[in-house]
Amino acid sequence: MMSKRTSALALMMATLCLQCAESFVVAPKSSQHVGGVNSALRSSSPPESFEVVVNLPPSTNDLRAQMRIAPILSVPSEIIEVRYDLPFGLDVAPKDGMAVCTKDGPGGERVGDVLRFTSQWTMGLPRGDGLVTTAASFAGGLQWQCSMFDVMRASQWGEVVEALTSNVESRTDQVVLLFERPLAQE
């Protein structure tokens, strides 16, 4: 039997896991281009927000995060999705309150790209609408779950590092990174 405190903690953790995603939906199986740029949403003028659908890791997962991302750059920009198999390397550093790419990477990220979101793993209640997930929720059955961490909401650099390094081989086979990139000026 779960105590009130354990129940409240489990509810709080589930809320935190879902904080950055508007919703999770089951995705149809599709081929993924791992280790490269998967998608780009472009805007010729700064949009109110980008609408993005991300297949959550691991690669065998059927969940998607439907996200609405407000641009942070004052110039026309695009959102770039990069996926890496684990282990992965990434060259980003804090600059002017943002996580800025300092070196072009093999996945498609470029110098000056701003890391906006990364997949992260946290403990949470099972997702789904089946009998097993419902029973596990009542029993306090916590498990590792993937969500998208909003880098711009981090209060300190260590939180970004923690989110990035939560993508380990014992939990997943890939990491998802969303960058905002200024469009080339013509």
Side-chain angles (χ1 to χ4, degrees), residues 5-91:
R5 182 177 174 169
T6 304
S7 206
L9 179 61
L11 180 60
M12 183 176 69
M13 291 187 73
T15 302
L16 289 174
C17 289
L18 299 175
Q19 176 182 11
C20 294
E22 287 189 355
S23 65
F24 292 95
V25 295
V26 175
K29 291 288 184 189
S30 63
S31 61
Q32 295 188 4
H33 180 106
V34 177
V37 176
N38 281 341
S39 63
L41 296 173
R42 297 174 184 266
S43 171
S44 57
S45 62
E48 226 176 269
S49 64
F50 295 105
E51 301 286 332
V52 181
V53 177
V54 177
N55 292 329
L56 294 174
S59 60
T60 57
N61 194 2
D62 289 336
L63 290 180
R64 289 182 172 180
Q66 295 178 331
M67 303 170 67
R68 181 174 291 129
I69 303 171
I72 57 169
L73 300 177
S74 61
V75 298
S77 60
E78 62 186 337
I79 296 293
I80 303 294
E81 178 184 333
V82 176
R83 288 180 180 265
Y84 280 117
D85 286 331
L86 296 184
F88 72 103
L90 181 66
D91 289 296

Side-chain angles (χ1 to χ4, degrees), residues 96-169:
D96 300 326
M98 298 181 286
V100 179
C101 186
T102 59
K103 182 179 174 186
D104 289 356
E109 67 272 24
R110 296 183 193 155
V111 171
D113 287 354
V114 177
L115 180 62
R116 296 298 311 279
F117 286 85
T118 179
S119 53
Q120 79 165 354
W121 290 83
T122 55
M123 292 298 286
L125 292 172
R127 293 186 190 125
D129 57 3
L131 181 60
V132 173
T133 56
T134 302
S137 295
F138 283 109
L142 297 177
Q143 65 185 19
W144 286 107
Q145 294 184 357
C146 184
S147 61
M148 296 301 291
F149 177 78
D150 186 345
V151 174
M152 295 306 298
R153 289 190 180 183
S155 59
Q156 53 186 298
W157 182 246
E159 292 175 23
V160 176
V161 173
E162 184 177 332
L164 287 165
T165 58
S166 72
N167 293 279
V168 294
E169 292 174 348

